[in-house]
Amino acid sequence: MVYILLANGFEEAEALVPLDLLRRAGIETELASHKKLDKMGGHGLTVKADCALAEIDLTRTDMIVLPGGGIGVHNLDKDPAVAAMVQEAVDRDIWVAAICAAPTLLGKWGHLRGKKATCYPGMEHGLMDGLPQNESVVVDGKIVTGRAAGSAFDFGLKLVELLAGPEKAEEVRSSVCYG
């Protein structure tokens, strides 16, 4: 199971493109938010979460995904349950993925020490002691980072590859005529 964590102000493309690609690959994926309420994206799109954060069972979780969006990332950071869930995921060796501004949360929470990572250009200082890379998507250990909304397809396809293999990622890429 993959959970994409939403907070008001999330970047729609960074949440919904990976969601779509993961589901096309047959990977069970749900949108999760603090109280399973509708969440407003940074560009006015309202999305209903599939489950509440409190319903997530990390013992049956393969990956946690944090979409970006400046306001959304700020709101994720304000919820202590998100930081605790990411810490538990790291402790359990579960994949953690973040895109755009969200990798700065991983930096703030100490999960990028000595790891290669990418984020929205100009926010590299927020990676803290991570090693900034000028790439669309970076994988280091069980941490996956993506640059920005324009990287959403590359990011989503990398998540598919990591969870279902390169053949499945290529099948999905081809089915959506990407690249």
Side-chain angles (χ1 to χ4, degrees):
M1 173 69 83
V2 175
Y3 292 100
I4 300 174
L5 309 187
L6 299 182
N8 283 327
F10 71 93
E11 170 54 56
E12 293 94 339
E14 295 164 4
L16 300 180
V17 169
L19 171 73
D20 178 85
L21 297 172
L22 288 160
R23 286 184 176 175
R24 284 174 189 265
I27 298 168
E28 193 175 3
T29 305
E30 291 190 351
L31 298 171
S33 69
H34 183 64
K35 292 185 178 177
K36 196 177 175 177
L37 300 173
D38 294 351
K39 294 297 168 193
M40 178 71 74
H43 299 98
L45 179 67
T46 301
V47 175
K48 182 169 180 60
D50 299 303
C51 68
L53 292 178
E55 296 174 51
I56 294 175
D57 177 2
L58 286 178
T59 64
R60 43 179 305 267
T61 300
D62 301 304
M63 182 180 285
I64 299 289
V65 180
L66 304 174
I71 294 169
V73 167
H74 174 74
N75 287 328
L76 285 173
D77 191 28
K78 287 187 342 188
D79 187 344
V82 174
M85 183 176 297
V86 169
Q87 181 63 58
E88 185 177 346
V90 168
D91 291 345
R92 290 177 176 265
D93 203 30
I94 294 169
W95 288 102
V96 175
I99 184 170
C100 194
T104 64
L105 293 178
L106 300 182
K108 176 181 180 180
W109 298 334
H111 302 302
L112 296 180
R113 280 189 197 98
K115 291 190 175 289
K116 295 176 182 174
T118 192
C119 64
Y120 189 80
M123 299 187 80
E124 292 83 3
H125 64 282
L127 299 178
M128 306 301 237
D129 45 7
L131 307 171
Q133 305 295 302
N134 186 21
E135 302 290 332
S136 180
V137 179
V138 174
V139 179
D140 193 336
K142 287 284 190 105
I143 302 288
V144 185
T145 53
R147 182 180 291 140
S151 305
F153 273 91
D154 293 335
F155 181 73
L157 289 168
K158 180 54 77 174
L159 303 184
V160 170
E161 178 184 327
L162 293 169
L163 296 173
E167 297 82 15
K168 181 57 82 173
E170 176 55 29
E171 177 186 314
V172 172
R173 185 204 61 74
S174 180
S175 76
V176 298
C177 300
Y178 178 70

